[in-house]
Every structure is written in structure tokens, then in C-alpha cells.
């Protein structure tokens, strides 16, 4: 059943009235020029695009989490596609043989949708019709999540990435999805905005720190992962991930190579060469995005090919200042 099943005219008008106050609230918020370039609006200390902020507000007011939900959270360009693939494969491994796996023909962003993008076209979707466990993703900061998520105790997995690679990957992504009407900023312009916090759901460091502190306060509910560590010791962290989302691998599965099989299936090398990810596309909010734009390199340290020594030093200095006293480092 479709979460966006046809609705009556009366239902549509009611939902449109629900969204109207969000537009009015936005008119009172601070705004700055963002990456794209487009304006970003500051809501609860973080920056959102004009199109996405009403959706975030709708999620905050209407999404009801279940204890069985599994929620993935990231800052954009921090390994989201990889994490979605891993979670889907882990949780559904008993349902799909590797030779007929959905990931072979369906992009992971369709299998694990962004929660805020389900609240589109001024609609309030009926997410209770989705099968349990509901696998959902979000870029919303921890402190801005709906209270129901915190109350439900559902597993919340956060993955971050060092700010240098995150910034460069994000800038390349915006270049790929730009068009004649929407030209991205130059690397230097975007870098200044990123350092000043004016990026989607930025400041980047506040977003990371938000989830880091939550993982320390509520380790039974919030798991904090680093992209670089996932790359270096994938088997170790995939097993940790499976246990955290209540789908642990049995000793028999480990002996049979199930963990290795999932890692191979979800690897950058495998996913990026699949036909669906080379030629497919889908709507993400108001934007039609080709799946191949989600696959650039995925390599740790690639930012060194784009950032000057001064840029690198500046990002490192900001990280040191922002994370000082919290026991967190992102190299």
C-alpha cells in the first residue's frame, strides 16, 4: 500500500492548511545565502533550505515513532548511501538470497527513504502502513528530532565523516545536480560558507556534536559511527551495527560467510557498477536526482586533492575548537 495513496479534496485542503503556519514561521527566521546558491533558514540552531524546512517542521509535529523503528542519521555526504545499504541488507538477510537481492535492482535511497522527504507536496503520509521494522533515514539534528523518537527508544544509528572529505564530497554533489537556473558556488565560496556553518543542516560540527553527546548520554539508544573507522574495519563495525539494531549475526552465519557477503554486496565497487545506480533516477523532494551522483569515489582523504594547506589547517582548527573537551576527534 502506498504511503501517499490518493486523498479526497477535503483531506488535501486540510493538509495544506497544516503546512501554512510553517511558511509563516519561516518568514520570521534568519536566512543566509547557501551553497547552491539558495537561501538557508535557521531553525533551532541549524540551517535548512526553503523547500525542506516545512517538511522538517511537519516531521517534528506529526511523525510518531515506534519502538521497532530503525532510524539512520547523517550529515549529508557522510556515507549515507553505504549505511542505508548495509542496514537494509542486515535487517532483510533472511528474506532475500544474494542473487536476487533488492539492492541489485533498487537504489538504497528508495529502500530506506529519508523521513523528511516522505512529507512532501504538503502531505502528511500514513507511515503506519509500512512494514515493521520501518527503516528510515534523516539529516535532522538530534536536538530537533520529534519527541516521539526519543521516547520510543528505537535504535538510532549516526554516522559521521571528517569535515574535509565531507565538504569536498558535498561540493561535488551540488555541481552534479546543478542546472542552468541553479548554479553552485565556487569551491572557495562554498568553503567559506561551510566554515561559517551555512550548509544544509549545518553547522557541520554542531550536528556531529549533537549526536556524539546523545551517544554518550544514551548509548543503548544511539550508536555513533565514523566513516573512516567503518572503512578500516568494516567486518568489526558491521557486526556491531547488526547487534545494535537487534539483528545480530549468529556464529553459524559468521562461519558461512554471511557477514562477508553483505559487505561485498554493499561495497562501493559493487553498488556503483550496478545498472540501476548508473542509469536510474528518482525524485527527492522537488529535485530529480540521478543515482550515479551518489557514487563519486567514497575514498578517505580524497579532499587533499582539492583543498589547499591553508584550507585543511582551518578545518582542523575549527574541529579542535568545536570538539575540545568532548573526547571526539575527526581526522
Amino acid at each position: 500500500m502506498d504511503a501517499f495513496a490518493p486523498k479526497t479534496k477535503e483531506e488535501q485542503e486540510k493538509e495544506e492548511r497544516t503546512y501554512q503556519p510553517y511558511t509563516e514561521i519561516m518568514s520570521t527566521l534568519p536566512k543566509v545565502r547557501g551553497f547552491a546558491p539558495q537561501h538557508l533558514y535557521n531553525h533551532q540552531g541549524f540551517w535548512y533550505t526553503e523547500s525542506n524546512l516545512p517538511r522538517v517542521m511537519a516531521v517534528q509535529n506529526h511523525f510518531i515513532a515506534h519502538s521497532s523503528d530503525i532510524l539512520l542519521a547523517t550529515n549529508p555526504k557522510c556515507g549515507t548511501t553505504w549505511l542505508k545499504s548495509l542496514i537494509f541488507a542486515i535487517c532483510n538477510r533472511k528474506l532475500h538470497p544474494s542473487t536476487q537481492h533488492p539492492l541489485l535492482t533498487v537504489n538504497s535511497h528508495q529502500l530506506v527513504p529519508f523521513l523528511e522527504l516522505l512529507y512532501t507536496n504538503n502531505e502528511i503520509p500514513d507511515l503506519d502502513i509500512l512494514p515493521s521494522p520501518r527503516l528510515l533515514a534523516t539529516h535532522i539534528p538530534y536536538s530537533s528530532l520529534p519527541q516521539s523518537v526519543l521516547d520510543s527508544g528505537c535504535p538510532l544509528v549516526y554516522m559521521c565523516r571528517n569535515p574535509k572529505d565531507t565538504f569536498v564530497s558535498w561540493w561535488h554533489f551540488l555541481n552534479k545536480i546543478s542546472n542552468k537556473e541553479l548554479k553552485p558556488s565556487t569551491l572557495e565560496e562554498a568553503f567559506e560558507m561551510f566554515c561559517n556553518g551555512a550548509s544544509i543542516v549545518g553547522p557541520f560540527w554542531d550536528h556531529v556534536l549533537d549526536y556524539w553527546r546523545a551517544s554518550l548520554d544514551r548509548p543503548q539508544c544511539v550508536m555513533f559511527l565514523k566513516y573512516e573507522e567503518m572503512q578500516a574495519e568494516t567486518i568489526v563495525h558491521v557486526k556491531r551495527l547488526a547487534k545494535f539494531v537487534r539483528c545480530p549475526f549468529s556464529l553459524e552465519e559468521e562461519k558461512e560467510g554471511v557477514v562477508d557477503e553483505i559487505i561485498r554486496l554493499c561495497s562501493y565497487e559493487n553498488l556503483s557498477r550496478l545498472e540501476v545506480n548508473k542509469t536510474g533516477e528518482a525524485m527527492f523532494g522537488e529535485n530529480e536526482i540521478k543515482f550515479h551522483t551518489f557514487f563519486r569515489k567514497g575514498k578517505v582523504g580524497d579532499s587533499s586533492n582539492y583543498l589547499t594547506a591553508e584550507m585543511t589547517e582551518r578545518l582542523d582548527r575549527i574541529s579542535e575548537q568545536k570538539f575540545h573537551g568532548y573526547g571526539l576527534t575527526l581526522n
Side-chain angles (χ1 to χ4, degrees):
M1 186 175 179
D2 189 352
F4 296 105
K7 298 181 180 181
T8 65
K9 182 179 179 180
E10 289 74 17
E11 289 174 325
Q12 291 175 341
E13 291 176 347
K14 180 180 179 181
E15 291 181 346
E16 287 176 3
R17 289 195 298 272
T18 298
Y19 276 78
Q20 182 59 37
Y22 305 147
T23 303
E24 296 172 359
I25 291 172
M26 284 176 60
S27 68
T28 69
L29 299 177
K31 68 178 181 179
V32 298
R33 178 177 176 271
F35 268 33
Q38 56 182 309
H39 282 110
L40 298 177
Y41 292 77
N42 193 281
H43 175 63
Q44 299 175 339
F46 293 88
W47 296 98
Y48 300 88
T49 61
E50 181 176 7
S51 59
N52 207 40
L53 182 51
R55 290 191 280 257
V56 171
M57 292 179 175
V59 169
Q60 291 176 323
N61 292 329
H62 295 281
F63 176 66
I64 303 301
H66 301 164
S67 59
S68 58
D69 291 343
I70 297 174
L71 188 60
L72 315 182
T74 58
N75 210 295
K77 311 315 296 175
C78 287
T80 310
T81 305
W82 187 29
L83 183 60
K84 285 185 175 186
S85 302
L86 286 170
I87 286 290
F88 183 86
I90 288 169
C91 295
N92 293 282
R93 64 183 184 271
K94 298 186 186 302
L95 300 177
H96 306 292
S98 58
T99 56
Q100 300 175 18
H101 202 281
L103 281 167
L104 298 176
T105 55
V106 184
N107 182 268
S108 62
H109 290 289
Q110 296 175 295
L111 297 172
V112 185
F114 282 110
L115 175 58
E116 48 268 45
L117 291 186
L118 295 176
Y119 289 74
T120 196
N121 298 325
N122 291 335
E123 293 185 353
I124 306 300
D126 180 10
L127 301 184
D128 286 338
I129 65 176
L130 298 178
S132 181
R134 300 185 300 186
L135 306 182
L136 300 165
T138 187
H139 289 320
I140 298 175
Y142 182 81
S143 56
S144 294
L145 290 173
Q147 186 61 40
S148 70
V149 172
L150 311 186
D151 294 341
S152 71
C154 69
L156 177 55
V157 179
Y158 181 75
M159 187 154 76
C160 67
R161 190 181 188 185
N162 81 74
K164 298 182 284 289
D165 287 348
T166 298
F167 164 70
V168 168
S169 181
W170 185 228
W171 182 72
H172 277 289
F173 180 76
L174 289 179
N175 271 285
K176 288 182 178 179
I177 66 172
S178 65
N179 53 45
K180 292 180 179 179
E181 292 75 33
L182 193 65
K183 292 293 184 183
S185 307
T186 66
L187 180 69
E188 291 74 20
E189 289 173 331
F191 181 78
E192 283 299 319
M193 295 177 201
F194 186 81
C195 289
N196 293 330
S199 57
I200 293 177
V201 296
F204 167 85
W205 297 268
D206 294 357
H207 195 282
V208 173
L209 193 56
D210 215 14
Y211 279 96
W212 171 250
R213 294 173 64 178
S215 72
L216 298 179
D217 294 339
R218 307 176 68 218
Q220 73 282 6
C221 296
V222 183
M223 183 181 201
F224 190 95
L225 297 171
K226 296 181 181 180
Y227 181 83
E228 294 78 13
E229 293 178 352
M230 285 283 290
Q231 288 273 16
E233 296 184 289
T234 307
I235 293 178
V236 172
H237 292 291
V238 165
K239 289 164 64 173
R240 286 183 58 227
L241 185 57
K243 183 177 181 180
F244 183 77
V245 298
R246 307 163 184 166
C247 297
F249 294 103
S250 66
L251 289 176
E252 184 178 359
E253 284 181 312
E254 291 186 32
K255 291 178 182 178
E256 292 176 349
V258 174
V259 182
D260 296 321
E261 190 174 272
I262 286 177
I263 291 173
R264 283 194 296 271
L265 172 67
C266 300
S267 68
Y268 175 90
E269 291 73 20
N270 183 58
L271 293 180
S272 63
R273 65 179 175 79
L274 295 175
E275 189 63 25
V276 62
N277 293 325
K278 290 195 294 184
T279 62
E281 59 188 18
M283 295 300 296
F284 289 77
E286 295 75 28
N287 301 313
E288 187 173 61
I289 298 179
K290 298 182 184 300
F291 295 146
H292 72 79
T293 60
F294 294 111
F295 299 89
R296 191 177 70 88
K297 290 184 179 179
K299 291 185 177 180
V300 175
D302 180 63
S303 57
S304 62
N305 296 313
Y306 300 90
L307 302 181
T308 65
E310 291 75 17
M311 287 175 163
T312 297
E313 181 181 348
R314 184 175 175 185
L315 289 176
D316 287 342
R317 186 167 61 250
I318 295 174
S319 294
E320 185 177 350
Q321 293 170 348
K322 287 280 192 175
F323 298 149
H324 180 72
Y326 290 101
L328 175 62
T329 57
L330 293 181
N331 299 320

